Amino acid sequence: MAVLKTAVQKLYTGGGNTDTSSPEAPVIDETVFAGSSPHNCGGGCVLKAYVKDGVIKRFATDETPEKTYVDGTGDYMQDRACPRCRSQRSWIYNSNRLMYPMIQKGERGNLDTFERVTWEEAANYIKEKADAVMAAYGPAAFHSIYASGMGGGYSPQSDLFKMIGAPSLAMTRTHDDYSFPQWELITRCMHDANSQPRSNDFQDVYNADELIVWGYNLSEMLNQQQINFTFAQIKEIKDRGKGIAIPGGKTATTSNLEKITVIDPKYTNTAILGADEFIAPIQGTDTAMICGMIHYILTEKKAELGKMYAAHAKLTGEQRTALESGSVDSADFNNALRQAVGQYVYGFFDTDDTNDAAAGTNESYTLDGTDAETFKTAAKVTPGASFSAYVFGSSTALVTAHLNKAASIYPDTIGYNVRSYGLEDGGEADPLYGKTTKCYGQVEKTPEWAEKICGVPAAQIKALADTFLTKNVHCWMMGGLQRNSEGDQACWAWTVLMNFLLCFGEPGRSHGRADGRGNDRIPSFKSGWSTNINDERDAEALKGKFNYLTSNSSGKTVFKDALGETALLTFPNNYNSNHSSDTISVFQWLDACEIGKYGKIDEKVYIPTADGSSFTEETRSVYKARWNDGQVKRLPAPIKFIFSCGGNIPINQNGDCNLAAEVWKAKDAEGNYVVSFLGVIDVNMTSSAQYADVVLPGSISFERYQSGNSARSPLRFLTTKAVNPPGDALVEMEIGAVLAKAFGQEEGYFNGYTVRDVVNERNVFEKEVWDKTIELNKATYGMDAKDWQAAGFYKPDQDLSKLDNYIAYEQFLKNPGKGNVVTAVNKANNAVKTAFRTLSGRVEAYCLPMMENYEMRMGNNIDSSIDLVNGGTLYTKIAKARKLEGKGRFCYPIPMYIPLIEGCHADQTAAPHPDPLGLYDQGYDCNLLTWHTIYRSHSTFNSSAFVNEVEFYKRDKNGNPTHIRRSITNANAGANIDNTVTEADTKAQQVWTDDVYETIWLNPATASTKGIAEGDVIIVESLRGKIAGSAHLSERVRPGTISMTQGSWYAPIEDWKSPYGTTYDKVDVGGNANTLFGLRPCRIAGGMSLASECRVKVYKADKVQ
Amino acid sequence: MVDRTKQLAFYFDQTKCMGCQTCVVACKDWNKLQPGTAKLRKLHVTEMGTFPNVSVFMTVFGCNHCANPACIEACPFEAIYKRPEDGIVVIDRDKCQGNGSCKSACPYDAPQFPDDEQEAPQLSLTTPTKGHKMVKCNMCIDRVAIGQKPACVAACLTRAIDFGTVEYIEEKYPDAQTVKNNGNLVGFPEDTANVAGNLTEAFRTTPSFYFKPRHI
């Protein structure tokens, strides 16, 4: 028996036991398959699967030598995988995996009444349902829902609708996404971009004095590869001081960077990684802060503003002299300033005769016979209607300063464009009907005013403004400003601010979304296969049967009537903002289903005559839509048939999960489901799959071939299939073949390949396609099958530091004004001249198209119950025709600070939050803020144990820090497992259970007032429902704000008994934040409002209800 | 004592660590452990301040392959070795009897014992006991043997971790601190305390761990 040694200090002399029998290093004997397995993450990082005995044993990542800024060698990074992809072993081998096709034989949502069927039975069932829906409702009832879980590889989703024979343009389609709906609408109207403005290249950061990261949690959302290492390098170079040599030398030769600021409501990991300064406006109040900055600049910092314009703007000699003079009260100075700003931002100040109206003067637009003179008059910014007038409220300071002609015409209150009718017969109007909130049109928006709202000290607001005036700033912006009911305003106001501050167009001066140019430098990849299914084959019969259809000029079947009142548009048909007249916002798909429950109503609309002198009153028969969206109301049919491949939108990733579940379960008087069909392809029994009528098991990482590219680095991956999907699951390419067979569309599906019985001849078709694909690309990529398997990637040795710095809007800075030329960059990295795509040829702080696009979509924008102030008027064609130009609007031509419906202000006494729903009085005293965790990609990886056990502070019902426990509630427990996989490898990775809770972050002060301690099981409750979670106390969140991550799977339990023995009705123990968030779309874009707006109650789960 | 041209060590730049735990997951995956309580690498998070003036310190490490390992001192069965060629401390699971003295002695909680959900109970021809044997970070000796970096180093998204001989690290990072030189890393355990917080009698493990701390 060995002697027990005591721990005493001793000089370490010989090194313990150096017996030569010490264990040898194990041999790495797996076969390596390199590739990538992205999901909705913006990535495409290197993963290498180490495979033995048909099982993936472990993973590695990119190990090719890299060049870095910090080493001074260049910019060629390894594409390292984040913790999600590193956890894939517990994602792939998971007892939640779907093994065989199933049909729901009982009630929707009941896990116990799914029955196993053959592939043929499942496909035939889908056809039966599709045929019935087509016969009754036509193609408009079909919806190819947003689904982003598969990051590469073929998805049969859109082809299925072609097989069904639904003409693509005659289905109910959507025009935006869940990521950037506000940006996509706002900048299409008031800017050149189609989403966030374009930023200079990443490397240009080194030319700036300061990097500001605003509403962008890059560390955790990881919107593209290596953003963390990019940021970490920027920080390290900045830490070394100015003058550090930058390799490559084309973007920058030495670094100017001295500071990084992070602006976010929560102290995110991005702030941890890089913030020298942290600015924390309450979620939804950024616009107030922006107004405060502008007020400060125009009051106290005009001299600096003048100098900045003198240094960067295009000016005449007289203008430059005046602006450099610093005589801030002189007419010369202020005229020069107004003209100079007016070149870049239309409507920042009231129009005068020297600053022409500009609308209709961008020559790149054809006016379709409309009078150009009318436009010039129409788009004039009337006295007191400019954005700066709004900022100054009833104060006449800017009038005295020769900058504006009148004080603000904007009212203090604004209403909501919501339904006045009940959905059910005898039901109630929208709770916001007849209510108003503040828009502060007459309030002077000083930094001190802003402080009381946003919680950022006035001194810090001023200092931020000073930074932009005196330094070169590179400002990154992503999605954070958006995700609430007034996100449109924040995106708009921010873009105006950035352009007003000339934060663009030169090295080191940039605002917007920084993306790489990787895609531009990769040879285009040829697919070895495409399908050729004619979706117009039944077009004549359909048009004969459904009078809402017609043919367009290309012969395609489309809706006869626009989704919207296009007659209200006076702007050219090819104007960038007019894109949305035949599609709805994706966020409203559930409403487009729900309209099938409630039937129609007659509504009056007012249409101007062609010359605008008068109007007609017309009646529309429209659906009763919960959110009163004009486009949803005008749909020709409700959505009846949804198919989703690799998406969790049907239940999980939309809002108000309880409402979604109700809609899916709703039946009509005959006992048929209101929404006839939901079909899902997935790899897990997600919450959406649970509500499906048909569930088809697909493939996951390395179980299929897939290919794609990346945003940042120039690279193309081709993942070689390493293992088979388990059980009876098929790869998606083969699922498509099964469906094609049921619909008799095999010829078009296989399109030149041999038609096969893929169920009995697995992987043969897939292999043929990929062999052909590799062959087709061999010449351009120089890689054969062995090369692709070994490397996984085509990654040319392109040192990004040697690239010319792309400067966004450089031409716009040099040649501003109407219809001017800006350079874009095409795939070959060549400059392409296009006009700045607004009618004024510049950024629009006053944007008539914003109002008209809104009018077109919603049908009406006039709020007759509110008057503009001081006899002010705002033109749109219909407002003039109806002589209502002096009335208030729901969407104004300028951005405004409008408090969120379920928001909060910092100082509830001095700046009380309007609270139109009366939530404070009902005890909803906290606000919910969610963020994108690094441990899921939205709801993907929720079932992956490795990342769940590292997600901070997750606890089980006993309060123990946790890993996942085995589920016994899943219908698939004990399902057949592919017998090439050993038991040790498939040891249950467990599905989410009611034993483990999502982490809910609270400030210790908030927790203390509610008697909540670290690790307590708590309930978070909103108007929509309740979730259970585990409390974590942290000073990283603001007092009063409750914060959690998004993407957990909805798992409601009726009459749930908490670990403390208290019973609650209906608690989502999966902890999905979307159970709490509402579906009310944002004001202007009608898009996604999830993440930063929700009033909640929080209490320990021992409080009796 | 393994000399500085051979002893392999870790370098950790706390200013670049955002606590993503990619290294933690990569380590567990590479070592073919299942999810469960045994974790070869662990993150320690320390917060200071009040909102919005907050500082957060992330510290993550596995085994520090100490110059003077407490685990070797404590093990009654001489199941733990320090390799003379590179100073990596490894466990011979055949000799291990699952006693747990190593875990009590180590200030860094490096020795871990997987549970039944993480691996099948280990049997060995040379020991009569069933149960789970100790497992810990072995600096990926299998990867190092073929010229690759340990999984954590190769995984880190911000390149906050490096490794190499002491000589290499001291040359590349001349300002790097160590516990031995009275460096202070928030979140890193005291060198003299064992994981239960008990002070042993002035025992110094001298971890092969260099760091750049975030300033308080």
Side-chain angles (χ1 to χ4, degrees):
Chain A
M1 182 151 165
V3 172
L4 222 70
K5 293 181 185 169
T6 55
V8 295
Q9 181 176 20
K10 79 183 209 186
L11 264 177
Y12 194 78
T13 53
N17 192 331
T18 54
D19 189 334
T20 51
S21 68
S22 68
E24 294 283 301
V27 172
I28 301 170
D29 60 358
E30 295 97 336
T31 309
V32 180
F33 289 75
S36 182
S37 178
H39 23 88
N40 183 357
C41 59
C45 307
V46 175
L47 259 192
K48 298 174 188 168
Y50 281 60
V51 180
K52 189 173 174 188
D53 302 328
V55 176
I56 301 174
K57 297 290 186 178
R58 48 195 172 175
F59 287 95
T61 188
D62 195 354
E63 290 162 297
T64 54
E66 62 180 1
K67 297 181 184 141
T68 70
Y69 288 99
V70 295
D71 286 342
T73 47
D75 184 351
Y76 182 76
M77 294 182 197
Q78 288 168 348
D79 285 291
R80 293 187 179 184
C82 78
R84 295 170 291 205
C85 275
R86 299 313 295 263
S87 83
Q88 284 204 10
R89 182 157 57 86
S90 68
W91 186 45
I92 298 164
Y93 298 112
N94 184 315
S95 69
N96 204 29
R97 285 295 299 269
L98 297 168
M99 296 290 188
Y100 39 71
M102 295 185 285
I103 291 178
Q104 175 60 263
K105 298 285 191 177
E107 292 299 302
R108 258 187 200 158
N110 187 343
L111 277 177
D112 296 325
T113 49
F114 275 107
E115 274 182 27
R116 179 178 188 168
V117 296
T118 64
W119 279 101
E120 196 177 359
E121 284 171 328
N124 288 335
Y125 186 77
I126 294 170
K127 177 168 195 298
E128 192 187 302
K129 290 290 185 185
D131 287 348
V133 169
M134 183 67 85
Y137 300 100
F142 291 85
H143 183 58
S144 182
I145 199 166
Y146 188 97
S148 60
M150 272 182 75
Y154 166 79
S155 161
Q157 183 171 320
S158 57
D159 269 339
L160 172 63
F161 292 98
K162 293 185 183 172
M163 295 175 201
I164 289 172
S168 307
L169 299 180
M171 290 169 47
T172 291
R173 297 172 301 129
T174 56
H175 54 245
D176 56 8
D177 50 39
Y178 280 82
S179 304
F180 305 111
Q182 284 96 337
W183 278 116
E184 287 155 6
L185 191 286
I186 293 297
T187 50
R188 274 194 163 89
C189 294
M190 52 75 65
H191 195 272
D192 180 76
N194 286 335
S195 189
Q196 296 96 329
R198 177 83 193 258
S199 169
N200 300 356
D201 277 343
F202 277 119
Q203 298 86 337
D204 180 67
V205 165
Y206 297 113
N207 288 316
D209 298 306
E210 293 200 21
L211 169 63
I212 297 181
V213 184
W214 194 330
Y216 181 19
N217 188 10
L218 58 95
S219 277
E220 292 176 84
M221 74 169 289
L222 293 194
N223 66 295
Q224 60 180 284
Q225 278 129 304
Q226 313 321 309
I227 187 67
N228 276 305
F229 188 37
T230 301
F231 190 57
Q233 292 199 76
I234 288 167
K235 176 203 143 69
E236 177 160 347
I237 302 256
K238 179 266 302 176
D239 282 344
R240 293 185 197 169
K242 280 186 188 277
I244 301 298
I246 298 297
K250 280 212 164 171
T251 54
T253 48
T254 58
S255 173
N256 270 335
L257 210 54
E258 60 194 20
K259 185 177 173 191
I260 298 174
T261 298
V262 171
I263 304 179
D264 202 289
K266 175 176 170 282
Y267 196 76
T268 58
N269 282 20
T270 304
I272 290 172
L273 185 55
D276 295 307
E277 181 174 355
F278 172 58
I279 300 178
I282 291 175
Q283 54 273 15
T285 64
D286 297 70
T287 309
M289 188 169 85
I290 289 167
C291 291
M293 289 168 72
I294 290 171
H295 187 281
Y296 165 69
I297 292 169
L298 291 177
T299 309
E300 294 181 47
K301 290 289 175 161
K302 278 167 69 173
E304 285 77 2
L305 182 66
K307 283 198 180 65
M308 192 190 76
Y309 267 81
H312 298 283
K314 179 181 178 185
L315 300 166
T316 66
E318 294 87 24
Q319 286 172 329
R320 185 162 278 112
T321 306
L323 290 173
E324 280 171 340
S325 73
S327 310
V328 300
D329 295 321
S330 76
D332 282 347
F333 178 96
N334 286 294
N335 284 328
L337 182 65
R338 190 185 59 253
Q339 289 160 21
V341 172
Q343 294 185 109
Y344 296 101
V345 185
Y346 181 71
F348 193 89
F349 296 113
D350 295 346
T351 306
D352 68 10
D353 296 326
T354 53
N355 219 3
D356 67 332
T361 58
N362 184 336
E363 294 82 16
S364 63
Y365 290 101
T366 54
L367 297 176
D368 297 334
T370 314
D371 187 346
E373 283 308 309
T374 306
F375 283 132
K376 284 184 186 171
T377 316
K380 235 185 171 80
V381 183
T382 51
S386 65
F387 180 52
S388 60
Y390 165 77
V391 172
F392 276 72
S394 59
S395 159
T396 52
L398 293 186
V399 180
T400 309
H402 312 283
L403 288 170
N404 282 340
K405 296 202 139 172
S408 167
I409 61 165
Y410 294 101
D412 273 327
T413 56
I414 189 170
Y416 294 99
N417 194 355
V418 295
R419 60 181 166 80
S420 57
Y421 48 85
L423 291 169
E424 314 265 12
D425 288 334
E428 296 199 344
D430 188 300
L432 286 177
Y433 180 66
K435 299 256 179 17
T436 60
T437 188
K438 291 202 160 59
C439 60
Y440 304 99
Q442 295 297 301
V443 172
E444 192 170 0
K445 300 170 189 65
T446 62
E448 290 72 21
W449 168 88
E451 173 180 344
K452 296 181 179 62
I453 288 175
C454 70
V456 177
Q460 202 174 23
I461 296 174
K462 293 177 186 179
L464 182 63
D466 286 334
T467 296
F468 280 100
L469 286 177
T470 56
K471 304 276 186 184
N472 289 326
V473 174
H474 195 116
C475 187
W476 286 347
M477 165 58 64
M478 191 49 67
L481 288 185
Q482 297 180 103
R483 280 108 196 259
N484 52 61
S485 61
E486 303 287 358
D488 323 271
Q489 310 289 344
C491 296
W492 191 355
W494 182 86
T495 305
V496 168
L497 176 73
M498 291 296 121
N499 283 277
F500 167 60
L501 291 170
L502 298 181
C503 184
F504 64 92
E506 293 176 9
R509 298 176 75 86
S510 172
H511 68 277
R513 177 176 169 163
D515 279 320
R517 284 186 280 153
N519 286 345
D520 298 343
R521 294 186 297 280
I522 284 288
S524 51
F525 191 81
K526 297 189 193 67
S527 172
W529 169 62
S530 60
T531 60
N532 185 22
I533 302 166
N534 179 14
D535 62 341
E536 293 275 348
R537 61 185 186 273
D538 300 322
E540 289 317 304
L542 289 171
K543 279 183 290 197
K545 188 166 179 194
F546 298 103
N547 62 7
Y548 64 78
L549 297 172
T550 186
S551 292
N552 70 8
S553 55
S554 312
K556 299 286 186 195
T557 310
V558 295
F559 295 160
K560 191 179 294 171
D561 298 321
L563 296 181
E565 301 295 339
T566 51
L568 294 173
L569 294 171
T570 58
F571 285 93
N573 275 336
N574 60 339
Y575 191 77
N576 196 30
S577 72
N578 288 350
H579 75 293
S580 49
S581 62
D582 55 355
T583 50
I584 63 172
S585 168
V586 70
F587 191 53
Q588 304 213 34
W589 69 266
L590 186 71
D591 209 15
C593 292
E594 230 195 325
I595 58 178
K597 269 174 88 172
Y598 303 121
K600 292 196 158 185
I601 199 173
D602 279 345
E603 220 173 50
K604 289 200 204 328
V605 293
Y606 302 97
I607 307 295
T609 54
D611 66 357
S613 63
S614 185
F615 66 94
T616 56
E617 185 184 289
E618 295 177 27
T619 303
R620 303 269 184 262
S621 173
V622 296
Y623 281 104
K624 292 202 262 182
R626 183 181 286 274
W627 307 114
N628 201 40
D629 182 270
Q631 298 191 294
V632 173
K633 284 152 72 172
R634 285 161 178 71
L635 282 170
I639 294 176
K640 294 286 184 185
F641 183 108
I642 291 183
F643 193 85
S644 172
C645 175
N648 208 356
I649 300 282
I651 283 282
N652 215 71
Q653 293 302 93
N654 206 28
D656 203 342
C657 301
N658 287 332
L659 176 63
E662 264 178 52
V663 174
W664 284 112
K665 289 189 185 167
K667 291 184 177 172
D668 62 22
E670 284 86 52
N672 299 315
Y673 283 116
V674 170
V675 191
S676 311
F677 182 78
L678 174 63
V680 160
I681 297 175
D682 213 305
V683 292
N684 289 307
M685 181 58 81
T686 62
S687 55
S688 293
Q690 184 172 344
Y691 281 79
D693 301 308
V694 176
V695 178
L696 303 177
S699 64
I700 206 171
S701 172
F702 288 89
E703 291 174 354
R704 61 171 176 260
Y705 288 89
Q706 52 189 11
S707 184
N709 56 18
S710 98
R712 189 201 182 263
S713 329
L715 60 82
R716 182 88 204 181
F717 68 86
L718 192 158
T719 306
T720 303
K721 177 176 170 137
V723 296
N724 290 323
D728 206 16
L730 291 176
V731 298
E732 287 68 16
M733 191 177 285
E734 293 171 345
I735 296 178
V738 170
L739 296 169
K741 183 173 177 185
F743 283 91
Q745 296 297 314
E746 284 171 294
E747 286 298 316
Y749 186 82
F750 283 90
N751 196 22
Y753 285 88
T754 308
V755 172
R756 291 188 181 283
D757 174 0
V758 298
V759 174
N760 290 312
E761 260 194 295
R762 303 237 171 148
N763 312 315
V764 174
F765 174 51
E766 190 197 18
K767 184 93 188 351
E768 279 178 358
V769 168
W770 282 96
D771 285 343
K772 174 98 181 280
T773 301
I774 290 168
E775 186 62 42
L776 275 175
N777 291 287
K778 202 161 172 183
T780 40
Y781 283 82
M783 291 171 75
D784 65 16
K786 272 210 280 292
D787 299 325
W788 283 111
Q789 178 178 331
F793 279 71
Y794 169 81
K795 189 172 171 183
D797 185 4
Q798 289 201 19
D799 183 340
L800 301 187
S801 73
K802 295 199 165 82
L803 294 176
D804 286 326
N805 188 14
Y806 172 69
I807 305 293
Y809 311 112
E810 187 176 29
Q811 285 305 313
F812 177 52
L813 183 70
K814 290 185 176 144
N815 288 301
K818 56 185 185 176
N820 272 295
V821 169
V822 299
T823 41
V825 176
N826 67 6
K827 266 182 119 49
N829 208 29
N830 295 326
V832 170
K833 292 189 189 329
T834 60
F836 199 92
R837 286 187 302 180
T838 56
L839 279 168
S840 64
R842 63 200 96 163
V843 174
E844 299 196 346
Y846 183 103
C847 184
L848 178 52
M850 189 78 70
M851 284 205 291
E852 287 205 344
N853 179 277
Y854 177 93
E855 284 182 335
M856 180 273 286
R857 288 181 290 110
M858 293 298 281
N860 173 51
N861 187 26
I862 297 170
D863 185 351
S864 306
S865 69
I866 292 180
D867 291 322
L868 299 179
V869 176
N870 299 333
T873 57
L874 293 171
Y875 169 89
T876 60
K877 193 169 182 183
I878 187 58
K880 181 165 176 143
R882 292 180 70 192
K883 298 185 172 37
L884 294 176
E885 288 172 283
K887 290 296 180 183
R889 305 297 202 275
F890 299 106
C891 168
Y892 281 99
I894 56 157
M896 294 177 154
Y897 174 60
I898 304 172
L900 309 183
I901 299 159
E902 296 196 25
C904 69
H905 285 169
D907 187 336
Q908 191 60 13
T909 314
H913 184 271
D915 195 12
L917 292 175
L919 295 166
Y920 285 92
D921 291 339
Q922 294 176 55
Y924 294 95
D925 61 348
C926 290
N927 281 77
L928 180 67
L929 171 70
T930 63
W931 82 95
H932 288 71
T933 176
I934 199 175
Y935 299 120
R936 277 187 288 255
S937 178
H938 298 288
S939 67
T940 309
F941 288 96
N942 193 53
S943 56
S944 180
F946 278 143
V947 275
N948 272 296
E949 67 174 2
V950 297
E951 175 136 27
F952 297 124
Y953 315 112
K954 278 197 166 148
R955 289 172 187 277
D956 66 18
K957 66 183 175 188
N958 300 314
N960 300 314
T962 187
H963 61 284
I964 317 253
R965 302 201 181 280
R966 182 185 282 277
S967 161
I968 55 169
T969 60
N970 188 297
N972 273 319
N976 292 332
I977 297 169
D978 181 345
N979 60 14
T980 62
V981 178
T982 67
E983 206 211 351
D985 291 298
T986 56
K987 198 91 179 0
Q989 299 304 319
Q990 299 97 5
V991 77
W992 213 239
T993 74
D994 57 1
D995 282 355
V996 182
Y997 302 108
E998 283 297 293
T999 313
I1000 316 275
W1001 295 52
L1002 301 90
N1003 187 282
T1006 306
S1008 164
T1009 62
K1010 298 176 185 302
I1012 292 171
E1014 178 78 26
D1016 280 353
V1017 177
I1018 61 175
I1019 306 243
V1020 184
E1021 179 179 344
S1022 78
L1023 288 178
R1024 272 72 52 185
K1026 300 193 216 16
I1027 67 169
S1030 173
H1032 170 58
L1033 276 48
S1034 170
E1035 289 287 352
R1036 293 171 57 184
V1037 296
R1038 179 181 284 276
T1041 293
I1042 312 297
S1043 199
M1044 63 183 296
T1045 67
Q1046 66 101 352
S1048 187
W1049 293 358
Y1050 174 66
I1053 295 183
E1054 306 277 353
D1055 300 319
W1056 176 68
K1057 196 165 174 191
S1058 80
Y1060 310 117
T1062 312
T1063 305
Y1064 301 90
D1065 65 333
K1066 199 160 189 179
V1067 177
D1068 171 12
V1069 297
N1072 185 349
N1074 285 333
T1075 302
L1076 300 170
F1077 286 116
L1079 275 167
R1080 186 180 294 283
C1082 66
R1083 174 182 292 269
I1084 301 180
M1088 188 275 263
S1089 62
L1090 310 171
S1092 54
E1093 176 171 5
C1094 184
R1095 290 236 115 219
V1096 293
K1097 301 178 188 180
V1098 182
Y1099 45 92
K1100 186 171 171 180
D1102 63 355
K1103 287 208 178 351
V1104 175
Q1105 266 199 304
Chain B
M1 184 99 176
V2 178
D3 80 40
R4 63 191 293 278
T5 63
K6 290 187 184 162
Q7 168 75 54
L8 290 175
F10 285 109
Y11 172 74
F12 172 66
D13 183 349
Q14 189 179 55
T15 69
K16 287 204 257 195
C17 180
M18 55 179 182
C20 68
Q21 300 185 80
T22 306
C23 60
V24 170
V25 176
C27 166
K28 204 152 177 176
D29 177 61
W30 183 259
N31 284 287
K32 301 193 211 173
L33 261 186
Q34 301 290 38
T37 48
K39 291 178 150 86
L40 302 191
R41 243 181 119 71
K42 289 177 284 291
L43 175 73
H44 302 256
V45 184
T46 311
E47 274 184 23
M48 296 184 191
T50 53
F51 187 87
N53 302 309
V54 194
S55 305
V56 183
F57 301 82
M58 304 289 190
T59 304
V60 60
F61 50 89
C63 169
N64 295 309
H65 302 281
C66 304
N68 189 21
C71 55
I72 292 180
E73 275 303 305
C75 178
F77 307 106
E78 296 188 339
I80 312 177
Y81 301 82
K82 187 168 175 72
R83 292 172 16 140
E85 64 266 41
D86 52 23
I88 296 177
V89 177
V90 296
I91 174 78
D92 182 344
R93 295 189 106 199
D94 277 343
K95 291 190 178 169
C96 176
Q97 307 247 0
N99 162 273
S101 302
C102 55
K103 190 176 173 76
S104 300
C106 175
Y108 315 110
D109 198 27
Q112 297 285 298
F113 290 88
D115 59 31
D116 287 345
E117 295 197 10
Q118 290 187 282
E119 62 172 21
Q122 300 296 296
L123 289 172
S124 162
L125 291 174
T126 60
T127 63
T129 55
K130 246 209 246 192
H132 296 279
K133 307 305 176 76
M134 190 271 268
V135 65
K136 71 170 187 63
C137 156
N138 66 0
M139 219 184 235
C140 292
I141 50 176
D142 51 354
R143 292 174 57 86
V144 169
I146 57 171
Q148 291 176 336
K149 299 184 185 176
C152 54
V153 177
C156 179
L157 297 183
T158 56
R159 311 339 181 228
I161 318 169
D162 198 357
F163 100 115
T165 61
V166 167
E167 179 183 41
Y168 161 85
I169 289 179
E170 288 183 347
E171 213 170 277
K172 187 168 180 190
Y173 308 103
D175 295 331
Q177 300 180 27
T178 61
V179 159
K180 187 174 171 190
N181 298 335
N182 295 315
N184 180 31
L185 184 69
V186 174
F188 196 73
E190 294 285 326
D191 185 7
T192 55
N194 67 16
V195 72
N198 300 319
L199 282 171
T200 59
E201 294 168 36
F203 188 93
R204 297 281 185 279
T205 62
T206 310
S208 304
F209 186 79
Y210 290 76
F211 50 87
K212 177 178 174 183
R214 175 183 289 276
H215 293 299
I216 295 174

